[in-house]
Amino acid sequence: QSVLTQPPSASGTPGQRVTISCSGSSSNIGSNYVYWYQQLPGTAPKLLIYRNNQRPSGVPDRFSGSKSGTSASLAISGLRSEDEADYYCAAWDDSLSGPYWVFGGGTKLTVL
Amino acid sequence: EVQLVESGGGLVQPGGSLRLSCAASGFTFSSYEMNWVRQAPGKGLEWVSYISSSGSTIYYADSVKGRFTISRDNAKNSLYLQMNSLRAEDTAVYYCARGELLDPWGQGTLVTVSS
């Protein structure tokens, strides 16, 4: 059971816009930045969005992130076949026993 | 080029120990906090441990606290994870990841705990 909640799957056709949600609580998303990672099949995760809505250099502007309260979302516009991957949201959680990273369970994106 | 390369994974019996290493290159290792994150086969990501740039601040996930020890050698540009009292549920690919952004990640090293 992951601390952050994501839908297990999402899908879209090429060119479509898809959004992936991530729900948390006041101790994680509500008070800290949200990060998104893309994991292509058989590879290590790669940073996609940092500090809620910032894109690292090299990440296409088709990818965008947003946050509101204790929820966040990742939007992918102009869907392409190479976007088929697992997507994870993450945030620091300010627990009483010490801060720690929490992840969503991941969303498997299928491009139909 | 910024690069992280993990090593030290393998097959170990329950109750056994293993030491993972993460060799860093292409950046000033001593300036960055580091993390270990694992991924069980077919499962999602689970954060394991954090160490500050100097090594003075360390955090662990409850699932590994008291069994795993994170450390670093800034002179050798290396990060370590000493894993003791290993359990079947520790079976996973272990990744090291740099900094506040967890960027980049290494390619991972597979740890299999089985008799």
Side-chain angles (χ1 to χ4, degrees):
Chain A
Q1 190 82 359
S2 301
V3 174
L4 304 182
T5 301
Q6 296 179 237
S9 64
S11 64
T13 56
Q16 260 191 334
R17 182 176 188 269
V18 170
T19 61
I20 297 172
S21 62
C22 176
S23 177
S25 68
S26 58
S27 65
N28 42 66
I29 292 179
S31 52
N32 294 297
Y33 290 124
V34 176
Y35 302 78
W36 289 90
Y37 300 90
Q38 177 193 57
Q39 187 174 32
L40 297 169
T43 69
K46 169 194 161 186
L47 179 67
L48 203 59
I49 296 288
Y50 66 98
R51 293 176 190 161
N52 302 334
N53 55 19
Q54 302 299 302
R55 277 187 312 276
S57 60
V59 173
D61 59 7
R62 301 185 296 107
F63 295 90
S64 62
S66 64
K67 170 185 150 178
S68 178
T70 59
S71 293
S73 63
L74 172 72
I76 309 171
S77 59
L79 200 60
R80 303 176 67 157
S81 58
E82 56 260 41
D83 298 333
E84 191 159 285
D86 293 325
Y87 292 85
Y88 295 90
C89 60
W92 272 104
D93 191 298
D94 298 322
S95 86
L96 290 175
S97 58
Y100 59 98
W101 278 98
V102 290
F103 288 92
T107 298
K108 186 174 188 64
L109 175 64
T110 301
V111 181
L112 303 168
Chain B
E1 179 198 1
V2 174
Q3 197 170 14
L4 298 171
V5 179
E6 301 92 338
S7 60
L11 175 63
V12 61
Q13 291 188 337
S17 298
L18 215 51
R19 188 195 196 207
L20 305 184
S21 298
C22 169
S25 59
F27 64 99
T28 305
F29 180 71
S30 59
S31 297
Y32 287 85
E33 55 204 50
M34 297 292 295
N35 291 268
W36 287 100
V37 181
R38 68 185 180 183
Q39 185 171 34
K43 302 296 184 183
L45 302 172
E46 180 190 15
W47 172 78
V48 172
S49 186
Y50 159 99
I51 187 168
S52 63
S53 57
S54 66
S56 60
T57 301
I58 286 172
Y59 303 121
Y60 297 101
D62 287 344
S63 57
V64 307
K65 203 171 291 183
R67 301 188 299 123
F68 289 12
T69 301
I70 191 172
S71 63
R72 64 191 297 160
D73 186 334
N74 286 340
K76 293 184 178 179
N77 292 334
S78 293
L79 174 72
Y80 306 102
L81 186 68
Q82 176 68 43
M83 304 186 297
N84 299 331
S85 304
L86 282 162
R87 307 166 179 166
E89 53 265 36
D90 295 319
T91 294
V93 173
Y94 285 73
Y95 297 100
C96 58
R98 184 185 71 165
E100 171 215 339
L101 307 186
L102 295 184
D103 176 56
W105 299 52
Q107 87 289 349
T109 187
L110 176 62
V111 172
T112 303
V113 184
S114 174
S115 54

